[in-house]
Amino acid sequence: MARSIEELERNHPCFGGCRFNAGRIHLPVSPGCNIACRFCDRSMNDVEQRPGVTSTIITPDEAHTFIDRAIELVPSIKVAGIAGPGDTLASDCALETFRKISKTHPELLKCMSTNGLLLYERADELIEAGIDTLTVTVNAVDPKIEAMINDYIIYHGRKIEGVEGARILIDNQLKGIKKVADANITVKINTVLIPGINDSHIKEIARTVKELGAMIYNIIPLIPQHKLKDIKRPTCEQIERAREDAEQYIKVFRHCAHCRADAVGVPGISEYSRLVYQNRLNVRDTFSHG
Ligand code: CLF
Ligand code: SF4
């Protein structure tokens, strides 16, 4: 269902609602991933869904009880988001959860975040599941740059490395963004800002995604880890310059709290994940799709 901009601005912390202290619960239902970002600590996000990994994830059937517990603690929760810890479209868990939430908690906005590899081919399912807001992480629109950020994709059972994999990823992201935006779902783009790799490329990303129908843009400073651990974290000046570059083309979101995949509360203000999930999760403090 298309929600009005006014409703999103009031109730969604990442689309303007931060002024109103709107809250969200992240439901960590998506275990596996299908790409290999070089900054992602993959110990929790392996392409293979190994035994043991699922024990740290909640199931679609459990989601509503965690939502109830969260709303009791934080009545201002207006959004149910799924942002990992893997990719939301690499399994059916996220879409199944959203279908269930539509029945148990129809009042909540449904917010999903993806790397976009399967966005184009799964867009119809996502639209039918009633997603209100979608975030796609687009770190480059040039395959040569993307190949410096992502080692490979697993696509229809094949591992495809380097520029070839990057080209497929970008193509599916961009076609998917257009398809979803055309269906009146509000689209946000996240870009991980990586000095020396994509910091001069922000304008190009912002211009491209705006043309495809994205509404808002969020720049996430790199947390240097894994294969990009030797790159320096972007400075405040670098982040501000990137935001100014993007702002020439698209509205920029400036209040991102770099949430974990199991975050609960008002971003940047309150954090109740331990109480809600009662320490049953062990989602590492690594990249979150947001
Ligand atoms: Fe969560 Fe992301 Fe939805 Fe927000 S977070 S899935 S859009 S409800 Fe928000 Fe957190 Fe930043 Fe994400 S502050 S990391 S942008
Ligand atoms: Fe997958 Fe996200 Fe990690 Fe990238 S950052 S490898 S999309 S889990």
Side-chain angles (χ1 to χ4, degrees):
M1 175 183 34
R3 308 277 188 155
S4 69
I5 296 294
E6 292 73 33
E7 183 180 358
L8 291 182
E9 288 195 339
R10 251 191 341 270
N11 293 329
H12 200 310
C14 318
F15 289 77
C18 50
R19 290 198 310 279
F20 301 93
N21 279 357
R24 51 83 185 96
I25 174 169
H26 279 175
L27 300 159
V29 295
S30 301
C33 193
N34 45 17
I35 71 173
C37 299
R38 305 189 80 235
F39 52 76
C40 179
D41 183 340
R42 304 190 58 80
S43 55
M44 287 296 295
N45 301 313
D46 274 1
V47 170
E48 300 299 331
Q49 209 175 309
R50 296 169 308 179
V53 172
T54 50
S55 68
T56 63
I57 302 291
I58 68 166
T59 67
D61 282 329
E62 293 174 312
H64 69 99
T65 57
F66 291 109
I67 294 175
D68 288 340
R69 200 179 289 166
I71 291 175
E72 251 178 69
L73 290 162
V74 193
S76 70
I77 285 181
K78 299 288 192 298
V79 178
I82 305 183
D87 185 60
T88 48
L89 293 175
S91 71
D92 291 329
C93 301
L95 290 176
E96 199 186 326
T97 304
F98 282 127
R99 284 187 212 107
K100 289 178 189 291
I101 294 174
S102 291
K103 296 199 180 96
T104 59
H105 295 85
E107 72 287 1
L108 294 181
L109 292 166
K110 291 184 281 297
C111 183
M112 177 167 159
S113 190
T114 176
N115 64 35
L117 177 65
L118 299 180
L119 182 56
Y120 185 61
E121 66 194 61
R122 302 202 72 178
D124 288 329
E125 289 173 80
L126 190 151
I127 295 161
E128 275 161 30
I131 306 300
D132 297 293
T133 51
L134 177 77
T135 296
V136 188
T137 301
V138 178
N139 293 326
V141 292
D142 175 339
K144 287 197 286 304
I145 297 175
E146 179 66 36
M148 290 189 257
I149 301 171
N150 175 47
D151 280 339
Y152 60 84
I153 62 172
I154 303 285
Y155 191 52
H156 297 167
R158 262 180 74 212
K159 179 177 179 179
I160 306 170
E161 296 178 82
V163 174
E164 194 193 342
R167 187 169 291 121
I168 294 168
L169 174 62
I170 292 168
D171 193 46
N172 286 340
Q173 288 173 330
L174 301 186
K175 285 191 307 192
I177 290 166
K178 171 142 179 48
K179 195 164 173 185
V180 169
D182 284 352
N184 282 330
I185 293 175
T186 307
V187 178
K188 170 163 77 59
I189 304 300
N190 279 354
T191 296
V192 180
L193 180 67
I194 310 173
I197 297 184
N198 68 357
D199 50 342
S200 309
H201 186 51
I202 299 298
K203 274 189 197 178
E204 185 66 16
I205 302 173
R207 187 181 58 73
T208 305
V209 297
K210 174 68 183 177
E211 279 172 14
L212 295 169
M215 196 196 97
I216 190 160
Y217 194 78
N218 179 27
I219 290 170
I220 301 181
L222 174 77
I223 299 171
Q225 58 185 7
H226 196 48
K227 293 186 180 173
L228 298 188
K229 67 178 180 337
D230 296 328
I231 291 187
K232 282 219 170 73
R233 196 182 280 261
T235 61
C236 292
E237 290 73 28
Q238 284 172 316
I239 298 167
E240 195 43 44
R241 200 175 315 130
R243 286 175 172 160
E244 282 167 12
D245 283 351
E247 221 153 34
Q248 294 175 30
Y249 300 95
I250 187 168
K251 187 175 164 190
V252 170
F253 172 63
R254 289 165 185 266
H255 302 281
C256 182
H258 306 155
C259 312
R260 293 159 52 106
D262 60 348
V264 179
V266 179
I269 294 183
S270 61
E271 182 45 69
Y272 289 89
S273 64
R274 297 239 169 262
L275 275 177
V276 170
Y277 293 115
Q278 298 188 327
N279 292 329
R280 55 175 288 182
L281 291 169
N282 184 25
V283 178
R284 297 254 304 254
D285 202 7
T286 178
F287 175 74
S288 159
H289 296 262

